[in-house]
Amino acid sequence: MDQSAGAGRGERERGIMNARLLEALGASPAAADVYRTMLVQPTAGVAEIAAALGMGTQAVRAALDELADLTLLRPVAGRPGQMRAVSPTVALNALLEQAQVGVQLRQRQIEDTRDAIASMLDQQARRADAEPVVRFIGLEAVRTRLEELAVSVKHEVVSFNPNAAQTPDAKDASSPLNQQVLERGVRIRAIYQDSFRNNVQMLAYANWFTQLGGELRCMPIVPALMVIYDAEVALVPIDVTDSKQGALEIRSLGLVAILHAYFQQAWAAATEFGDRTVPEDDELIPLESQLLRLLANGQTDEAVGRDLSLSTRTVRRMMANLMTRLNARSRFQAGIKAAERGWL
């Protein structure tokens, strides 16, 4: 084997390695190539380096200026205007030290930023403690507050989600927050209305949510939109019929405890997402049971539909099916037979 050829190949490999290290430590690819060439050809001038690399002379001069700024070039003693490449060992150690200083500075900046965020959150918590109920007016103010709470929550988020509040825009806003919270290991439990299963987009969202680790159950009627963080902070709408008006943030421990207990009770009674078992003739699913109760209380089909987030046509179809199962010729007779079966 030709030893000179082996030595040349070794020199090239070291040059390539040095160039890659320089790029990793902040030098541009052009500057790294020029530095490598100067190591291999110590006496080469600008024109020779340009020819060797296929670069323009202006590009080579710009690379030389960059190398000088990085202290990778030194003047040649006794030859004014001529520069030589600093030894790779010396150069890389110097750059590594600079990089370490930069990392330490960046780390201090990150720690200062983290301390500033913690201080702001602490100030917000103190203000909230002084005001057990805070109003957030308008949708944007509420969403900003939800983002802040998603960052600070530590253990669990629970929520009631009526279908009226589940707009595509609302889902676009809440999905990234839910993903962020779940990926941090925080538990999320959500209760939706049974009728949400009739909405293709909602079903797609529910599948995505549960695959990420979220827990979802259903019940016939969800009283109002509500989110509780760590059983300490609750957000409820100012106007239950229009969540865009804004929200009330409740920090009164007694009131939040009551709201959280109500959620726990509802969660225990709700059905698992995906559980759509067909009932026997003498059994009712929760949605049918709630529909019967509402109609028995004298509500119209339209009012029942609003409460259950169903169309009037669906309410009438469900009632017709119940009448068939009860072998009843009228709703009045259906009511009597439903009571006899213990359905009411």
Side-chain angles (χ1 to χ4, degrees), residues 18-28 31-32 35 66-74 86-103:
N18 291 333
R20 289 174 178 168
L21 286 171
L22 284 174
E23 290 181 36
L25 293 171
S28 69
Y35 177 78
E66 182 182 343
L67 292 171
D69 291 339
L70 292 170
T71 65
L72 295 176
L73 299 181
R74 296 267 177 86
V86 175
S87 162
T89 302
V90 175
L92 294 175
N93 279 336
L95 283 181
L96 184 57
E97 289 177 2
Q98 292 177 22
Q100 287 174 332
V101 170
V103 169

Side-chain angles (χ1 to χ4, degrees), residues 73-87:
L73 299 181
R74 296 267 177 86
V76 176
R79 297 182 183 180
Q82 187 172 345
M83 306 291 286
R84 66 176 177 84
V86 175
S87 162

Side-chain angles (χ1 to χ4, degrees), residues 178-195:
N178 286 339
Q179 182 170 356
Q180 170 192 334
V181 170
L182 287 168
E183 287 176 349
R184 284 172 42 221
V186 175
R187 185 185 187 191
I188 299 182
R189 291 187 291 162
I191 296 178
Y192 285 78
Q193 286 187 252
D194 281 326
S195 54

Side-chain angles (χ1 to χ4, degrees), residues 47 54 75-76 97 119 126 136 164 181 210 212 299 310 341 344:
V76 176
E97 289 177 2
S119 177
R126 291 185 182 185
F136 292 91
V181 170
T210 52
L212 279 179
Q299 291 196 35
L310 299 171
R341 289 198 184 191
L344 289 173

Side-chain angles (χ1 to χ4, degrees), residues 37-291:
T37 301
M38 293 181 72
L39 288 175
V40 177
Q41 304 177 42
T43 61
V46 171
E48 292 170 306
I49 295 172
L53 295 175
M55 294 172 60
T57 56
Q58 291 298 327
V60 172
R61 288 192 176 95
L64 289 171
D65 289 340
E66 182 182 343
L67 292 171
D69 291 339
L70 292 170
T71 65
L72 295 176
L73 299 181
R74 296 267 177 86
V76 176
R79 297 182 183 180
Q82 187 172 345
M83 306 291 286
R84 66 176 177 84
V86 175
S87 162
T89 302
V90 175
L92 294 175
N93 279 336
L95 283 181
L96 184 57
E97 289 177 2
Q98 292 177 22
Q100 287 174 332
V101 170
V103 169
Q104 291 169 355
L105 177 61
R106 182 59 178 159
Q107 185 63 37
R108 283 197 296 272
Q109 291 173 339
I110 291 172
E111 290 172 358
D112 290 344
T113 302
R114 184 180 289 115
D115 291 342
I117 292 172
S119 177
M120 285 189 294
L121 291 174
D122 183 60
Q123 289 174 4
Q124 286 180 342
R126 291 185 182 185
R127 285 198 301 269
D129 289 340
E131 299 178 59
V133 178
V134 179
R135 294 168 67 91
F136 292 91
I137 306 301
L139 190 57
E140 287 308 311
V142 174
R143 286 181 177 172
T144 297
R145 185 58 180 144
L146 289 171
E147 290 172 358
E148 294 171 347
L149 290 168
V151 170
S152 61
V153 67
K154 295 180 178 64
H155 307 295
E156 183 181 57
V157 182
V158 302
S159 63
F160 282 120
N161 301 273
N163 281 7
Q166 306 313 306
T167 64
D169 184 51
K171 281 286 156 262
D172 287 342
S174 65
S175 296
L177 298 182
N178 286 339
Q179 182 170 356
Q180 170 192 334
V181 170
L182 287 168
E183 287 176 349
R184 284 172 42 221
V186 175
R187 185 185 187 191
I188 299 182
R189 291 187 291 162
I191 296 178
Y192 285 78
Q193 286 187 252
D194 281 326
S195 54
F196 97 104
R197 294 189 177 102
N198 301 323
N199 185 312
V200 174
Q201 284 139 346
M202 284 300 300
L203 280 175
Y205 171 81
N207 282 314
W208 169 84
F209 176 72
T210 52
Q211 285 171 5
L212 279 179
E215 301 172 52
L216 194 154
R217 293 187 181 182
C218 306
M219 57 190 300
I221 295 179
V222 172
L225 184 63
M226 181 177 72
V227 190
I228 303 176
Y229 296 84
D230 287 335
E232 295 175 350
V233 182
L235 257 65
V236 298
I238 292 173
D239 182 346
V240 294
T241 64
D242 184 9
S243 59
K244 293 181 181 179
Q245 296 299 314
L248 300 175
E249 180 177 312
I250 302 169
R251 284 183 175 264
S252 169
L253 292 180
L255 184 52
V256 174
I258 292 171
L259 294 174
H260 192 264
Y262 177 56
F263 175 87
Q264 295 282 57
Q265 185 180 42
W267 182 261
T271 57
E272 294 283 351
F273 165 65
D275 184 4
R276 303 191 70 176
T277 305
V278 177
E280 302 291 338
D281 283 344
D282 60 347
E283 295 178 349
L284 294 178
I285 61 173
L287 184 62
E288 292 172 329
S289 179
Q290 190 62 43
L291 180 143

